[in-house]
RNA sequence: GGGGCUAUAGCUCAGCCGGGAGAGCGUCCGCCUCACACGCGGGAGGUCAUGGGUUCGAGCCCCAUUGGUCCCACCA
């Protein structure tokens, strides 16, 4: 395996709405608001709550044997990381990457706070569509007597209208574009403009534009340089810009305005209309879009190196398909609004002179205003977006801007493992921040995993109550089983559903390994077995070594390609099927001490024990990344050479451990045993009833290998005796046959077997072979296959065909014999 | 509205480079065989969403359609 310098970085905590909301709700129980506490008091409470909450988690982890410690946890909001955040903010501001600008935000008039898009809940409400008309003016300013009609769900916002828009392609209105109209009630002259935003098909194809109170209108207003007239106070009452409606609540004003328009004859009609309205998810008040000054990061330049890094492969995304999503974000990037109207977070290091309102951005509060010399400043009340500090995580947690030795060693790190849902929020921002402030990428590879959902495919959430507490899972089935469940069962970047059954089956696997290890340790002598001489290894020993050797090669390759699920599936199959179900069973007879032991018996037992132990040890190493606890426990008990599996070397592929001959030999024997078992089950033969087995083959190699491994047919195939011969001499005519590519096994079941059933079975086999022969023949007689397919594929197919033909011959002969 | 992901056994999912369809769970049959019943042995079960195309050959590559799902934006 390649070496990694990945650092398990300290836990961090960031400004977050969720935290603030949580704390506010705990305060609510005591009947106080955050304003009652004041900013400092609030932060103090927040810290206390955080510490208690975090402390609970840590004490649980400690119970599970973790060495984590609250004091060692480091928070981004502590002094060290706060310093990095300020440093970055000031640097970017001075370079012109951070600016202040107007932006539409969601405002909750009841909570008197701005809320994030994520906190806006759209609910369908029954409302009305008010159809209104505005009088069109002649060029000299007099009323033309013509009107333009449109519909609105929010008539009160007309007080802030600064235009009316139509689609530029809409022929109905082409002549009107550029003309002016009189805004009723306010007596303001406003233009008729053309903008793509307007949907010709919808309503009358006319939209009134209120840049200060609608996000789309705000964008339209920017494009056409329209004035932004704010008509509302923060508590959603009409302000002085609303003329005679000033002081009214937004809904009162709506009523009054509709009434007044009606009296002027400008209200065309009212229709019922159901539409989605944004509400605050906590108090369900209808949110009010308002224009406020916010801080922004200018993205067009900063994003370039981040896009290039993935393009050139300097940063690798796994799976690669995530690049599509990545580019979709980089190519449609907009300036990043980084200010949040919260208290729990990094406060923006911008200070305003109390006297001249000059803005000073600095690491510390300035003492003297550079413009007027004033000495009193007020810091900007806003905090930074969670992701602003998170974006600095790869280096801020390592002590930057100090050039610490951790920073030198761990930056850039190798792999970031994260969920695909935060490609935009976190991954992209870490990447561009890395290039901007460190001049280098933060990591070389990003490995994306999916999200864990519940068994119905829903996202786990508190409100649904469908979350799974990992500690509960660990309590029931163990941390290893949970880890294995989360790593397997899906490909990188795909979501997975959580099933208790899967955890249980992985617990069963852990149990299987545990029992296998117990069996081996039971049999290990006081003195560790010694390395056997080459000749002391049986074909079975070499077979399992060869299998392990290939496993090491494949698993290593898979892991280096981050195919973690595929890799562990192979280890799982090897340990359970090959090692436990076959090798241990094969080796058992050699382990038990006999009465009159020869030196060969002792040496064979030693070889078996040595092989059992070495194969298990290496397999445990392959499994360790997935199931660290059980593998470490077994490893340290099983051997004394190394202190911990964590620092042991990763197994390596060895050319001298390729035992092709023995592998083929044992596979044939396995095939024979499976065939025997199969026949016995189909014939309903009780396991206690042994049967004589005849191996008929003309091939000397096959004869030799059956001779060497005949006792497996006795121990695993319930054979009373094994006879190896070249023809059917001395075998009952009605013996049951098992077809192998290079031999036929016969079992004289005459008195147990139903002849009809046996014929049925053979005819089924004949049918299967017919299909295979047909397929293989058609491939090999296809000229285009022969001319275009690679030579090795053709050879492979020819060999298969030969095997099928041989088997077919045997089956036909047996059927004929039985029919006699 | 924009952009992803996805469709394979009854269920949940693998399937690496295009070359005879796999696992776990469930189900059926037989077994408490001295590591393990959280187990052992054997079996049944698939038109790889649909329709085209490329190829000697498609679960895999291309196009279209339909269903599921997520992210972003949002309907005057």
């Amino acid at each position: 395996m390649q070496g990694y310098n990945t650092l398990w970085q300290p836990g961090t905590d960031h400004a977050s709405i969720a935290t603030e909301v949580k704390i506010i709700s705990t305060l609510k129980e005591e009947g106080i608001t955050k304003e009652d506490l004041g900013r400092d008091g609030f932060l103090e409470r927040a810290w206390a709550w955080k510490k208690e909450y975090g402390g609970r988690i840590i004490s649980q982890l400690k119970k599970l044997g973790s060495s984590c410690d609250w004091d060692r946890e480091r928070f981004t909001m502590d002094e060290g990381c706060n310093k990095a955040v300020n440093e970055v903010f000031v640097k970017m501001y001075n370079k012109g990457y951070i600016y202040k600008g107007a932006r539409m935000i969601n405002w909750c008039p009841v909570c008197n706070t701005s809320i994030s898009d994520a906190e806006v809940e759209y609910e369908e409400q029954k409302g009305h569509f008010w159809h209104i008309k505005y009088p069109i003016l002649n060029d000299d300013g007099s009323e033309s007597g013509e009107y333009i009609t449109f519909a609105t769900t929010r008539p009160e916002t007309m007080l802030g209208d600064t235009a009316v828009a139509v689609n530029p392609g809409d022929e109905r209105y082409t002549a009107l574009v550029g003309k002016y109209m009189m805004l009723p009630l306010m007596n303001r002259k406003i233009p008729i403009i053309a903008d793509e935003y307007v949907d010709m098909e919808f309503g009358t194809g006319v939209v009134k534009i209120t840049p200060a109170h609608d996000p789309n209108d705000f964008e339209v207003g920017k494009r056409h340089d329209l004035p932004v007239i704010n008509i509302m106070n923060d508590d959603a009452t009409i302000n002085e810009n609303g003329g005679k409606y000033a002081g009214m609540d937004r809904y009162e004003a709506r009523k009054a305005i509709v009434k007044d328009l009606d009296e002027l004859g400008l209200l065309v009609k009212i229709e019922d209309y159901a539409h989605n309205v944004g509400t605050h998810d906590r108090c369900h008040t209808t949110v009010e879009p308002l224009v406020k000054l916010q801080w922004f990061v200018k993205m067009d330049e900063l994003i370039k190196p981040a896009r290039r890094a993935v393009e050139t492969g300097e940063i690798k995304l796994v799976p690669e398909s995530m690049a599509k999503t990545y580019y979709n974000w980089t190519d449609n990037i907009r300036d990043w609004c980084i200010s949040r109207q919260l208290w729990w977070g990094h406060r923006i290091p911008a200070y305003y002179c109390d006297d001249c309102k000059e803005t000073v951005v600095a690491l510390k509060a300035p003492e003297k205003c550079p413009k007027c010399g004033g000495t009193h400043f007020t810091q900007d009340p806003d905090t930074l977006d969670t992701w602003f500090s998170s974006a600095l995580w790869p280096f801020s947690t390592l002590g930057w801007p100090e050039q610490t030795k951790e920073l030198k060693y761990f930056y850039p790190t190798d792999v970031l493992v994260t969920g695909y849902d935060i490609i935009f929020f976190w991954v992209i921002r870490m990447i561009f921040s890395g290039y901007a402030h460190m001049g280098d990428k933060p990591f070389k590879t990003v490995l994306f995993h999916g999200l864990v959902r519940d068994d119905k495919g829903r996202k786990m959430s508190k409100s649904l109550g469908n979350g799974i507490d990992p500690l509960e899972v660990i309590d029931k089935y163990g941390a290893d089983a949970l880890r294995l469940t989360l790593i397997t069962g899906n490909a990188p970047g795909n979501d997975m559903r959580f099933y208790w059954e899967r955890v249980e089956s992985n617990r069963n696997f852990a149990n299987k390994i545990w029992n296998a290890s117990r069996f081996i340790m039971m049999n290990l002598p006081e003195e560790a077995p010694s390395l056997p001489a080459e000749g002391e290894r049986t074909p079975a020993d070499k077979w399992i070594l060869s299998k392990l050797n290939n496993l090491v090669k494949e698993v290593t390759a898979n892991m280096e390609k981050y195919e973690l699920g595929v890799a562990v599936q192979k280890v799982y199959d090897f340990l359970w099927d090959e090692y436990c179900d076959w090798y241990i069973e094969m080796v058992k007879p050699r382990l038990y001490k006999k009465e009159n032991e020869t030196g060969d018996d002792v040496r064979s037992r030693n070889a078996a024990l040595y092989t059992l132990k070495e194969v298990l040890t290496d397999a445990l190493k392959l499994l360790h990344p997935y199931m660290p606890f059980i593998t470490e426990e077994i490893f340290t008990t099983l051997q004394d050479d190394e202190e911990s599996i964590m620092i042991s070397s990763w197994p390596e592929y060895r050319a001298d451990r390729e035992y092709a001959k023995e592998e083929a030999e044992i596979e044939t024997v396995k095939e024979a045993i499976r065939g025997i078992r199969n026949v016995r089950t189909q014939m309903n033969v009780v396991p206690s009833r042994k049967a004589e087995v005849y191996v008929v083959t003309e091939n000397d190699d096959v004869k030799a290998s059956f001779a060497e491994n005949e006792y497996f047919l006795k121990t695993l195939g319930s054979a009373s005796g094994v006879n190896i011969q070249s023809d059917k001499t001395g075998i009952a005519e009605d013996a049951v046959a098992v077809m192998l590519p290079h031999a036929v096994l016969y079992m004289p079941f005459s008195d147990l077997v139903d002849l009809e059933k046996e014929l049925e079975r053979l005819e089924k086999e004949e049918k299967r072979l017919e299909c295979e022969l047909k397929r293989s023949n058609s491939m090999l007689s296809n000229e285009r296959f022969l001319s275009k397919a690679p030579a090795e594929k053709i050879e492979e197919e020819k060999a298969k065909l030969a095997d099928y033909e041989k088997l077919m011959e045997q089956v036909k002969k047996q059927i004929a014999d039985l029919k006699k």
Side-chain angles (χ1 to χ4, degrees):
Chain A
M1 291 291 280
Q2 66 190 79
Y4 286 96
N5 75 336
T6 301
L7 169 68
W8 183 256
Q9 297 198 351
T12 56
D13 197 357
H14 302 267
S16 94
I17 296 155
T19 303
E20 178 142 336
V21 165
K22 180 82 198 171
I23 295 160
I24 289 171
S25 71
T26 64
L27 290 178
K28 210 171 173 184
E29 285 163 23
E30 298 169 37
I32 47 176
T33 65
K34 66 176 191 175
E35 283 76 16
D36 295 338
L37 287 174
R39 195 163 190 131
D40 290 342
F42 176 79
L43 289 179
E44 210 171 291
R45 280 295 295 261
W47 269 114
W49 179 80
K50 273 267 157 186
K51 232 171 169 162
E52 191 202 323
Y53 178 72
R56 269 209 304 277
I57 291 174
I58 282 173
S59 67
Q60 298 236 39
L61 291 173
K62 273 186 170 168
K63 265 192 243 161
L64 293 163
S66 164
S67 61
C68 65
D69 190 331
W70 180 256
D71 298 331
R72 276 170 32 208
E73 289 290 303
R74 206 168 129 187
F75 288 83
T76 316
M77 282 180 62
D78 78 5
E79 244 169 70
C81 289
N82 218 350
K83 196 173 161 193
V85 169
N86 286 341
E87 188 87 18
V88 164
F89 191 96
V90 172
K91 186 175 144 193
M92 289 174 87
Y93 179 81
N94 289 338
K95 285 189 174 176
Y97 284 123
I98 288 182
Y99 67 94
K100 211 170 181 189
R103 182 181 188 258
M104 190 124 264
I105 54 147
N106 304 298
W107 186 265
C108 175
V110 169
C111 304
N112 208 29
T113 178
S114 68
I115 56 175
S116 73
D117 292 345
E119 289 170 295
V120 177
E121 225 170 60
Y122 287 93
E123 50 185 58
E124 186 162 299
Q125 286 184 1
K126 278 180 202 159
H128 299 285
F129 234 165
W130 284 273
H131 292 253
I132 295 167
K133 59 183 184 181
Y134 288 172
I136 301 169
L137 299 179
N138 289 319
D139 292 343
D140 62 6
S142 61
E143 288 198 13
S144 67
E146 305 272 321
Y147 295 89
I148 193 162
T149 310
F150 55 86
T152 177
T153 55
R154 302 200 55 197
E156 71 278 12
T157 61
M158 68 159 289
L159 301 174
D161 282 2
T162 52
V164 159
V166 297
N167 189 289
D170 195 336
E171 288 169 13
R172 290 173 293 178
Y173 302 110
T174 333
L176 295 177
V177 175
K179 289 192 180 298
Y180 283 81
M181 55 197 349
M182 185 55 70
L183 180 65
L185 310 176
M186 297 304 290
N187 295 323
R188 186 160 66 231
K189 229 176 99 181
I190 60 171
I192 299 170
I193 58 167
D195 194 282
E196 292 289 348
Y197 157 67
V198 183
D199 179 1
M200 285 161 51
E201 309 296 320
F202 192 86
T204 57
V206 182
V207 184
K208 69 184 204 57
I209 301 297
T210 322
H213 297 283
D214 181 277
N216 288 308
D217 293 7
F218 182 71
E219 294 300 319
V220 175
K222 267 206 287 198
R223 284 198 286 275
H224 296 270
D225 214 12
L226 299 174
V228 177
I229 301 174
N230 179 17
I231 57 152
M232 229 174 268
N233 295 312
D234 286 352
D235 61 357
T237 56
I238 305 299
N239 67 15
E240 67 280 4
N241 290 330
K244 67 172 186 171
Y245 305 98
M248 288 186 188
D249 173 77
R250 54 183 166 172
Y251 297 116
E252 270 176 67
R254 178 180 295 177
K255 268 189 202 159
I257 288 166
V258 170
K259 188 165 161 269
D260 291 349
L261 285 173
D262 195 18
E263 280 169 10
L264 289 170
L266 298 173
L267 182 66
V268 180
K269 62 172 176 176
I270 305 173
E271 56 181 8
D272 289 337
Y273 186 64
H275 59 140
N276 278 336
V277 177
T279 62
H280 187 190
D281 61 359
R282 290 183 55 237
C283 67
H284 293 279
T285 309
T286 301
V287 299
E288 193 60 51
L290 289 179
V291 175
K292 296 261 177 189
L293 277 179
Q294 303 287 325
W295 290 92
F296 288 87
V297 177
K298 210 161 162 282
M299 289 308 304
D300 48 358
E301 282 302 317
L302 286 172
I303 201 70
K304 283 181 186 166
R307 180 180 167 124
R308 201 159 43 234
V310 172
E311 247 170 359
T312 60
E314 187 167 331
I315 294 177
K316 222 178 100 194
L317 306 186
V318 179
E320 275 172 37
S321 59
M322 288 297 167
K324 271 187 254 172
T325 310
Y326 184 91
Y327 294 141
N328 188 249
W329 282 113
T330 57
D331 297 349
N332 297 298
I333 197 103
R334 293 188 298 181
D335 283 359
W336 176 18
C337 178
I338 50 170
S339 44
R340 296 292 121 101
Q341 289 70 47
L342 294 172
W343 283 0
W344 177 252
H346 298 272
R347 200 159 167 188
I348 290 174
Y351 305 86
Y352 307 107
C353 173
D354 287 351
D355 298 324
C356 72
K357 305 291 172 206
E358 171 74 355
T359 302
V360 179
V361 170
L363 294 175
K364 279 189 211 150
E367 287 173 5
K368 207 171 118 191
C369 176
K371 199 171 166 195
C372 72
T375 52
H376 293 284
F377 288 87
T378 306
Q379 186 172 1
D380 194 298
D382 288 356
T383 50
L384 288 162
D385 178 14
T386 306
W387 300 105
F388 189 88
S389 53
S390 306
L392 314 180
W393 183 84
F395 48 88
S396 68
T397 50
L398 294 171
W400 187 88
E402 265 24 274
Q403 290 300 315
T404 62
K405 64 176 195 286
E406 288 86 359
L407 187 66
K408 268 188 201 126
Y409 186 80
F410 288 113
Y411 195 97
T413 190
D414 284 305
V415 189
L416 169 78
V417 182
T418 193
Y420 66 84
D421 54 330
I422 49 176
I423 288 182
F424 170 63
F425 294 116
W426 200 31
V427 179
I428 287 184
R429 284 165 180 169
M430 280 197 281
I431 293 174
F432 80 69
S433 299
Y435 283 107
H437 310 301
M438 295 294 296
D440 195 4
K441 58 186 170 291
F443 29 73
K444 295 166 192 156
T445 302
V446 186
L447 175 59
F448 290 103
H449 59 247
L451 309 177
V452 182
R453 302 177 173 281
D454 73 358
D455 58 0
K456 291 177 189 66
R458 300 173 303 184
K459 214 167 172 173
M460 291 190 182
S461 79
K462 278 180 201 136
S463 56
L464 279 172
N466 61 347
I468 305 280
D469 183 354
L471 294 173
E472 189 195 330
V473 182
I474 291 169
D475 206 34
K476 278 197 177 117
Y477 293 108
D480 283 335
L482 176 61
R483 281 175 67 105
L484 195 57
T485 303
L486 295 178
I487 296 170
T488 56
N490 70 337
N494 286 340
D495 288 353
M496 71 176 306
R497 297 188 188 195
F498 183 88
Y499 272 87
W500 284 100
E501 291 88 339
R502 291 192 53 235
V503 189
E504 191 179 332
S505 90
N506 286 326
R507 185 275 316 264
N508 292 351
F509 176 56
N511 197 249
K512 184 76 185 174
I513 299 166
W514 184 257
N515 281 314
S517 308
R518 209 158 53 88
F519 172 75
I520 289 156
M521 287 185 251
M522 249 167 51
N523 286 287
L524 280 177
E526 298 266 315
E527 289 254 325
S530 55
L531 180 66
E534 185 70 14
E536 289 168 3
R537 306 251 206 203
T538 65
D541 296 340
K542 291 181 180 175
W543 162 78
I544 196 74
L545 284 172
S546 198
K547 282 272 183 189
L548 171 75
N549 198 35
N550 279 308
L551 178 75
V552 166
K553 189 171 157 186
E554 287 183 31
V555 166
T556 306
N558 285 131
M559 289 186 72
E560 294 202 324
K561 283 188 278 180
Y562 299 98
E563 293 161 358
L564 305 183
V566 178
V568 77
Q569 185 65 49
K570 287 177 182 171
V571 181
Y572 182 105
D573 291 343
F574 174 82
L575 273 168
W576 201 314
D577 299 340
E578 308 289 7
Y579 187 76
C580 290
D581 289 349
W582 283 103
Y583 185 63
I584 290 184
E585 294 306 325
M586 286 175 168
V587 121
K588 271 178 182 171
R590 291 158 68 194
L591 298 180
Y592 306 127
K593 285 187 181 151
K594 302 178 193 75
E595 278 188 19
N596 298 316
E597 269 190 336
T598 63
D600 280 352
D601 290 336
V602 174
R603 277 188 290 278
S604 174
R605 180 164 65 238
N606 176 69
L609 285 167
Y610 191 90
T611 312
L612 276 172
K613 183 178 152 180
E614 81 176 312
V615 172
L616 179 61
T617 309
D618 274 2
L620 286 175
K621 288 180 182 180
L622 299 181
L623 189 60
H624 180 253
Y626 303 89
M627 305 184 89
F629 299 105
I630 192 172
T631 49
E632 175 75 326
E633 180 67 24
I634 297 169
F635 183 85
T636 50
T637 318
L638 193 63
Q639 51 82 54
D640 296 320
D641 308 329
E642 290 180 278
E643 196 187 340
S644 163
I645 197 168
M646 289 186 281
I647 51 171
S648 67
S649 55
W650 186 258
E652 275 177 38
Y653 171 81
R654 292 169 52 175
D656 64 327
R657 282 286 170 84
E658 285 274 7
Y659 296 111
K661 182 175 157 282
E662 284 82 356
E663 255 199 71
E665 212 170 275
I666 295 295
E667 290 303 330
T668 302
V669 172
K670 277 170 67 182
E671 202 55 50
I673 291 167
R674 267 198 289 263
I676 293 169
R677 284 171 174 170
N678 191 328
V679 167
R680 292 178 62 99
T681 304
Q682 281 185 34
M683 300 291 149
N684 290 322
V685 182
V686 288
S688 55
R689 179 144 210 142
K690 307 285 178 196
E692 201 70 6
V693 171
Y694 295 86
V695 179
V696 176
T697 178
E698 289 172 350
N699 184 318
D700 288 337
D701 289 340
V702 175
K703 271 186 189 163
S705 88
F706 271 99
E708 185 158 20
N709 299 298
E710 65 163 53
Y711 66 99
F712 291 144
L713 299 191
K714 292 179 185 161
T715 55
L716 306 176
S718 308
S720 51
V722 179
N723 313 278
I724 301 164
Q725 50 197 67
S726 303
D727 53 36
K728 282 182 75 177
T729 314
I731 303 171
E733 289 281 299
D734 60 350
V736 180
V738 174
M739 308 304 164
L740 300 174
H742 302 289
V744 187
L745 306 187
Y746 291 95
M747 284 170 284
F749 277 169
S750 47
D751 43 359
L752 297 164
V753 166
D754 182 335
L755 197 69
E756 291 297 315
K757 265 193 173 172
E758 172 63 359
L759 262 176
E760 204 178 292
R761 186 180 70 83
L762 286 167
E763 275 161 4
K764 205 174 157 193
E765 175 73 0
E766 187 185 21
K767 223 172 172 183
R768 185 186 73 89
L769 286 168
E770 256 170 32
C771 289
E772 296 290 2
L773 279 170
K774 202 174 152 197
R775 185 191 58 78
S776 201
N777 269 319
S778 75
M779 261 176 104
L780 287 167
S781 59
N782 183 340
E783 255 176 61
R784 288 179 297 187
F785 173 72
L786 294 173
S787 59
K788 301 209 175 179
E792 58 196 89
K793 282 285 166 198
I794 296 172
E795 285 311 310
E796 202 178 288
E797 203 50 48
K798 278 184 181 167
K800 279 183 197 169
L801 181 63
D803 281 353
Y804 293 141
E805 278 170 347
K806 193 92 197 262
L807 287 168
M808 193 57 156
E809 196 187 313
Q810 291 165 0
V811 168
K812 282 197 183 302
K813 191 155 175 281
Q814 185 64 19
I815 289 174
D817 282 354
L818 282 185
K819 280 186 174 166
K820 263 191 234 166

